Structure formats: C-alpha cells, structure tokens
Amino acid sequence: MRVVKLFASDLDGTLLNALHKTDPVILASLRRLRAAGAHFSIATGRTLRSNRALGFEGNVAVICANGSIVLDEQGRVARTALLPAGFAAELASAFPTAPLDFITAEHTYHQCSEERHVASYGSMPVWRKVVMRGMSMTGGPEHIYDCEPAQIAELEVCKVNAHIQGMGEASEVAAFIAEHDEVVNAPFDPSMFEVTRAGVDKGEAVAWLAGYLGVCEDEVAVYGDGGNDIQMLGRFAGYGHAYATSNGSDAAKSAAGNVIGSCAGWAVPRHMLRTLREQRD
C-alpha cells in the first residue's frame, strides 16, 4: 500500500467537532500533519475564500463550493470550474425572486434582499443554519444583495446554492435543473440545492489537487459523511483510503467502505495521525 501524502476532509460532520467548529485538538493535529511533511486539504460544500477561515492556520489547501473553487496552500485561487455559459443567467431570469446564491471566486451574489435570504432558512434546525452560514448564508463584504438578472449574467459563476421553502417553487427549480444535463445538483442535505458544472465534485477536485501537488491518486486519503461526499469517497475507495465517520449517512459509509468514529470524538484528526504513525513504523 502506498504512503498517504495528501489527506482531504469534508468539514461538517467530519473534521469539525459536534458544534461545527475547529478546536485545539483539530488544529494541533493539522500542525503535526504538516510538520511531518504531509499535505492537507479541506474539501467542503461551504464557500471559503481564505485558508485561514474557521480558525485554520494557513498552509492548508482549500477545495470548496463542492470542488468548483480550489485554493492552494498559500491561499491563492488555483482553479475555478465555472458553470456552463448562460446557465446562471437563465436561472436568474427564470426565478428572479428566489433566494439563490450565485457564487464566484470573489463574491456571493443574491437577487433578493438580505432579509429575504435569511428568512429562507428560518425553518431549518439550528445545526443546518450553522452550516448554511458557512455556505454563503449572509453577512460581510463578500455578499452582494438585490442584484438584477442582467448583473448575474455578467458573472463567472462557479456554483449556485439555495434553500427554497415550499414545494411549489422548489419543485420548479428542481425541474429547471433536471432539464440541464450540463449541470449537477449534489447537496449535503436533501432540502438544499448545490449546483455545479457536470463532472465537477469534491472527488474530481481532490484528484486535480493531487496532480497539482505532484501526488498520485493512490497516495490520497479522503474523509466524508454526507451526500456531497459520495463521489469523493467512491473515487478513492478502490485505493483503500476512503473513510466515512460513524455519524455519517448510510450512503457515505457504503461509498467509503471504511467507517471510523464520530466527528464528536475527533475521529478524523486522530485517524490521520494514526496513519502517519503506522507509515513511519
């Protein structure tokens, strides 16, 4: 079995603790990992525009927005995978009042007001609201509200997020997406929309990053727990280095083939360090 040189992990339900945050155990583990010469990458559906977000300390790569944006270990944008030309403009024109997030490498654009956008997440459980806050829910200079469809049409959009309450409009958006086989919807939760270009997912992005870093695919270990991790776990399962947390979905566990402990018990950072020790011995 090849030595693991790149570790890539989902955040919520996987690397982060039960409060969906980093903590001293997680950060110390990553410092030890990097000191040992291994690479580490976040692989998340969230939109992170810095490798120091959420308390990370730099020197980590960031695969975010379900693989459509990749930051290198210096925090620079290394790759963007744009939605097909015209798709975002067509979606914006078809649903001008829906609470859609149009995500670019620099900003997240919304056609509705901030208040309307926040209200779209009102029925979510608290833990989902925490996750969505990291997936471009609200706030800060990165967010631009009250945009017109013509403005969206001028953007280089990597991903579209949405949580649409009520079956009517949600069903219409789902039908619209289904008519476009050049895009894919791979949400972390069934109540969400997370739309990227077809063929773009966390697994594809991890493989791209491995090549960028000079690492072979069989030298990569990946960790996940949910719907938008399936492609990543399945891609690397054949090498024996795909792991789902015990709190993860059945689909994630099946795709990985290996199940470790819960995110609440720091299963991922502990497993990564154990892997390093076993490789060294």
Side-chain angles (χ1 to χ4, degrees), residues 35 133 148 154 164 192-193 199 216:
R133 195 167 290 117
E148 297 293 331
E154 297 297 318
I164 302 174
M192 285 292 303
F193 293 95
C216 298

Side-chain angles (χ1 to χ4, degrees), residues 121-136:
Y121 296 99
S123 64
M124 278 188 162
V126 172
W127 72 267
R128 286 183 183 163
K129 291 180 183 179
V130 171
V131 176
M132 288 312 305
R133 195 167 290 117
M135 292 182 67
S136 305

Side-chain angles (χ1 to χ4, degrees), residues 162-185:
H163 177 253
I164 302 174
Q165 300 184 56
M167 288 301 295
E169 192 171 40
S171 297
E172 292 174 4
V173 171
F176 179 93
I177 294 169
E179 292 173 356
H180 293 75
D181 57 9
E182 71 274 26
V183 302
V184 63
N185 178 37

Side-chain angles (χ1 to χ4, degrees), residues 68-69 80-83 88 102-107 109 151-159:
S68 62
I69 302 173
T80 56
L82 304 181
L83 286 167
F102 295 90
I103 297 167
T104 73
E106 297 81 20
H107 299 285
Y109 295 81
Q151 184 177 1
I152 302 299
E154 297 297 318
L155 303 176
E156 293 187 330
V157 179
C158 299
K159 186 187 180 202

